[in-house]
Amino acid sequence: MDREIPKEIRRKELRKQIIKISAGIAAFTFIVVLIISIMQTSLKRRDVLLSTADRGVIEVSVNASGKVIPAFEEIINSPINSRIVEVYKKGGDSVDIGTPLLRLDLQSTETEYKKLLDEEQMKRLQLEQLQVTTKSRLSEMEMKLKISRMELSRKEVELRNERYLDSLGAGTTDKVLQVELSYNVGQLQLSEDEQKYVNEQNLAEAELKVKELELSIFRKSMNEMKRTLEDAQIRSPRKAILTYVNNEIGAQIQQGSRIAIVSDLTNFKVEGEIADAYGDRIAAGSRAVIKTGNDRLPGVVSEVTPLSKNGVISFTVQLEESSHRRLRSGLKTDVYVMNAIKDDVIRIANASYYTGKGEYELFVVNGDRLLKRKVLLGDSNFEYVEVISGLKEGDEVVISDMSHYSDKNKIQISD
């Protein structure tokens, strides 16, 4: 026979069911909240770099790669074919002007130079001999001219006397004509001798000039050999660091081959390279900024190569602070060459996100969220990027790397 369940028991059972249902709802709510929390991306402000868009001036620059090189570097080439006999210094040594670096075998060159000295003396003696011979020949001709002039003067007196006697009737016409003919012949002979003398003078002068020129040319060749011999005494041309030396004793060296390099490692310049498509934006005198680490060093483009090599144009930047502590030979740098100025433009800070003109998807701060927005960017320099559209003054933009969030359109942000 069924009995009625007491009210107290029924209330306990109902209470248990309510507790179970409430616990289930709470657990379900917790799981939903947890899933939503996991699915919703959030960032803290300190984890991203933000830039506030403002209005100002952009000094437009073109970006190039650069390498730090010594401000002065001189390659020493062998002036002769020889071999290395001794090496006095090693790479990295400090050297002063005239410091011997190495010694070449100069025996054959010195022998050749001594032969040239003997030949020069012989040519000089030949010139002196020609001068004496010429002087003697001209003196002899000059003496003959004096005798001819005296003979002509005698014939002139004789002709005058015969004409006088003829006028007195004491002479004859035939005698006068004979003496007059002799006088005229003497005049022609004297004129011929004088012309021969002038010709001989000109010829002697020309011969001497030829010989003097030959001697001068030979002496220049000999001096060149002497200079080559002196250059073969391999010495440092200035105070610097010996960055390279051929230390293979006994090695055969060809004329013009590199045997040593001295460099000034206290002052530096930057050798830049840029694609030839941007070559028209770089010119000598352009202002430049060298970026190495967090340091920015100002400078000026001093030289631009006129020809493109493998699609690249090279240029050199002289630094205002060429002895900066961060500079090291071979250090890779970024080079920014200024080529235009844009006034009154919206701009944001330059960072790794910028790779050139075009459209970008950037995250912009909107309250406690970051919203992805399409932004059109223009020219830039090492500090700022021009904003053409998509941002207004005062907008905060994320400029750090957000590639991990490329599939997100909005991100929570908190302090």
Side-chain angles (χ1 to χ4, degrees):
M1 171 175 189
D2 295 334
R3 288 185 304 171
E4 184 179 358
I5 299 174
K7 290 183 178 180
E8 185 66 26
I9 294 176
R10 288 203 302 269
R11 281 197 295 269
K12 287 182 179 179
E13 290 295 329
L14 180 61
R15 204 174 320 132
K16 289 180 180 179
Q17 289 180 0
I18 292 173
I19 291 173
K20 288 181 179 179
I21 292 171
S22 298
I25 293 173
F28 177 77
T29 303
F30 175 77
I31 291 172
V32 170
V33 171
L34 181 62
I35 292 173
I36 292 174
S37 176
I38 292 173
M39 292 180 64
Q40 184 174 3
T41 305
S42 64
L43 289 171
K44 293 187 178 298
R45 279 183 174 267
R46 66 172 178 270
D47 295 331
V48 294
L49 293 176
L50 297 174
S51 174
T52 302
D54 64 355
R55 187 175 294 275
V57 175
I58 289 183
E59 194 170 5
V60 181
S61 66
V62 59
N63 191 12
S65 61
K67 182 175 72 172
V68 177
I69 61 174
F72 163 80
E73 186 173 73
E74 183 169 339
I75 298 174
I76 302 174
N77 298 318
S78 175
I80 58 174
N81 295 324
S82 184
R83 67 184 182 90
I84 298 175
V85 178
E86 288 183 87
V87 178
Y88 304 122
K89 296 291 181 179
K90 62 180 183 297
D93 287 349
S94 297
V95 293
D96 288 322
I97 297 176
T99 301
L101 305 180
L102 52 84
R103 183 165 70 89
L104 300 179
D105 183 3
L106 305 179
Q107 185 174 356
S108 59
T109 306
E110 288 174 344
T111 301
E112 186 177 352
Y113 179 65
K114 289 177 181 177
K115 288 181 180 179
L116 292 178
L117 286 175
D118 293 339
E119 192 173 346
E120 187 268 344
Q121 185 178 6
M122 183 181 67
K123 287 183 177 294
R124 181 169 51 81
L125 292 174
Q126 287 175 347
L127 176 60
E128 291 176 358
Q129 184 181 21
L130 178 62
Q131 289 173 334
V132 172
T133 303
T134 301
K135 184 177 180 181
S136 176
R137 189 168 64 248
L138 290 176
S139 296
E140 185 179 345
M141 292 184 69
E142 189 174 356
M143 184 59 67
K144 287 182 179 181
L145 278 176
K146 288 181 179 179
I147 294 173
S148 296
R149 290 191 184 102
M150 291 173 64
E151 184 67 25
L152 185 61
S153 297
R154 184 187 65 76
K155 289 180 179 181
E156 184 181 8
V157 172
E158 186 179 354
L159 177 59
R160 195 164 49 244
N161 291 336
E162 288 296 330
R163 284 176 176 171
Y164 178 72
L165 292 173
D166 184 49
S167 65
L168 296 176
T172 63
T173 303
D174 290 340
K175 183 65 174 178
V176 172
L177 291 175
Q178 183 181 355
V179 174
E180 187 175 2
L181 178 61
S182 178
Y183 174 74
N184 291 335
V185 171
Q187 276 188 319
L188 293 175
Q189 186 66 45
L190 178 61
S191 297
E192 182 181 3
D193 290 344
E194 287 176 340
Q195 187 61 50
K196 284 182 179 181
Y197 179 74
V198 171
N199 292 341
E200 187 66 26
Q201 277 185 319
N202 293 335
L203 180 61
E205 185 178 352
E207 286 180 345
L208 286 172
K209 285 183 178 179
V210 169
K211 286 294 183 181
E212 287 172 351
L213 183 59
E214 287 179 355
L215 182 59
S216 176
I217 294 173
F218 184 83
R219 281 174 172 167
K220 288 178 181 178
S221 177
M222 189 180 68
N223 289 335
E224 182 66 21
M225 173 64 75
K226 182 181 179 182
R227 188 185 66 81
T228 300
L229 192 60
E230 290 173 351
D231 290 344
Q233 313 283 338
I234 308 301
R235 301 176 183 274
S236 174
R238 63 181 63 208
K239 185 176 182 179
I241 303 295
L242 182 64
T243 52
Y244 167 80
V245 64
N246 188 334
N247 57 4
E248 298 180 22
I249 295 177
Q252 293 295 323
I253 304 298
Q254 299 299 315
Q255 182 179 359
S257 61
R258 184 178 65 176
I259 54 177
I261 300 176
V262 291
S263 306
D264 179 3
L265 297 184
T266 59
N267 292 279
F268 299 90
K269 59 185 177 182
V270 174
E271 189 176 67
E273 288 186 344
I274 193 170
D276 53 11
Y278 298 96
D280 58 340
R281 300 191 185 183
I282 296 180
S286 299
R287 196 170 71 86
V289 173
I290 309 302
K291 189 175 180 182
T292 170
N294 294 323
D295 294 318
R296 295 169 182 174
L297 308 178
V300 175
V301 176
S302 61
E303 182 181 0
V304 180
T305 56
L307 299 177
S308 171
K309 184 178 180 181
N310 298 325
V312 171
I313 289 178
S314 300
F315 60 94
T316 304
V317 177
Q318 297 292 341
L319 299 172
E320 290 183 8
E321 193 177 351
S322 60
S323 58
H324 192 273
R325 58 182 178 80
R326 288 292 300 273
L327 297 176
R328 297 289 184 276
S329 182
L331 179 68
K332 300 293 184 181
T333 65
D334 291 322
V335 183
Y336 299 88
V337 181
M338 313 305 170
N339 65 330
I341 294 179
K342 288 190 173 183
D343 295 319
D344 195 31
V345 296
I346 301 295
R347 62 188 187 180
I348 57 176
N350 197 346
S352 59
Y353 70 91
Y354 181 77
T355 57
K357 293 182 180 180
E359 190 176 67
Y360 292 77
E361 290 186 335
L362 301 179
F363 285 97
V364 181
V365 176
N366 185 358
D368 61 351
R369 293 183 298 174
L370 299 177
L371 300 181
K372 185 179 287 186
R373 187 185 300 179
K374 289 186 177 180
V375 179
L376 185 61
L377 301 179
D379 291 315
S380 69
N381 62 18
F382 61 94
E383 289 183 301
Y384 298 107
V385 177
E386 175 192 15
V387 178
I388 297 176
S389 63
L391 294 175
K392 63 182 184 297
E393 284 186 73
D395 283 345
E396 281 190 292
V397 186
V398 178
I399 59 173
S400 53
D401 183 12
M402 298 292 284
S403 57
H404 294 301
Y405 306 97
S406 58
D407 59 335
K408 306 294 182 183
N409 290 322
K410 61 182 179 180
I411 302 173
Q412 288 294 123
I413 188 168
S414 60
D415 293 333

